[in-house]
């Protein structure tokens, strides 16, 4: 029974390890000056960007940077359920 193929694994969120890895990116992310953050629409990719670049979300309105989840950034999904994303409507509700 491959855990990556279970139906409940569709578009999973970051694990605690993943959240810690995203937090570890914050010092490096603060050194960057992006004008736009573009990510895969997979939940774990979006969550990684939101955590790593949290300072841009907390910035004043004039310093905020737009975040865009774009299908063109979606990794090529394989046979594993965890590489499939949820519908756009579901994603909009969460983000």
């Amino acid at each position: 029974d491959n855990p990556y193929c279970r139906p409940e694994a569709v578009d999973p969120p970051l694990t605690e390890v993943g959240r810690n890895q995203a937090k570890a990116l914050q010092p490096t992310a603060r050194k960057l000056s992006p004008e736009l953050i573009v990510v895969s629409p997979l939940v774990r990719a979006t969550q990684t960007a939101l955590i790593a670049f949290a300072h841009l979300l907390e910035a004043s309105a004039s310093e905020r940077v737009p975040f865009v989840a774009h299908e063109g950034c979606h990794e090529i999904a394989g046979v594993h359920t965890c590489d499939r994303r949820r519908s756009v409507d579901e994603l909009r509700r969460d983000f």
Side-chain angles (χ1 to χ4, degrees):
D1 186 36
N2 185 337
Y4 296 108
C5 295
R6 293 183 184 152
E8 63 269 20
V10 171
D11 203 6
L14 284 175
T15 62
E16 183 177 353
V17 170
R19 288 189 302 275
N20 289 335
Q21 289 171 334
K23 286 177 189 170
L25 294 172
Q26 289 176 339
T28 301
R30 285 185 182 280
K31 294 177 186 174
L32 302 173
S33 300
E35 295 179 21
L36 176 68
I37 306 292
V38 182
V39 299
S40 163
L42 286 175
V43 168
R44 61 189 180 269
T46 303
Q47 289 176 327
T48 298
L50 292 172
I51 293 168
F53 290 97
H55 66 285
L56 297 178
L57 296 171
E58 298 161 358
S60 66
S62 64
E63 296 175 351
R64 279 195 198 118
V65 172
F67 283 68
V68 175
H70 192 280
E71 194 64 38
C73 297
H74 185 285
E75 53 270 21
I76 297 173
V79 297
H80 297 122
T81 306
C82 66
D83 292 329
R84 294 189 197 125
R85 72 167 175 80
R86 294 180 294 147
S87 73
V88 170
D89 288 338
E90 289 177 288
L91 295 170
R92 279 193 183 119
R93 278 195 307 268
D94 288 346
F95 297 101

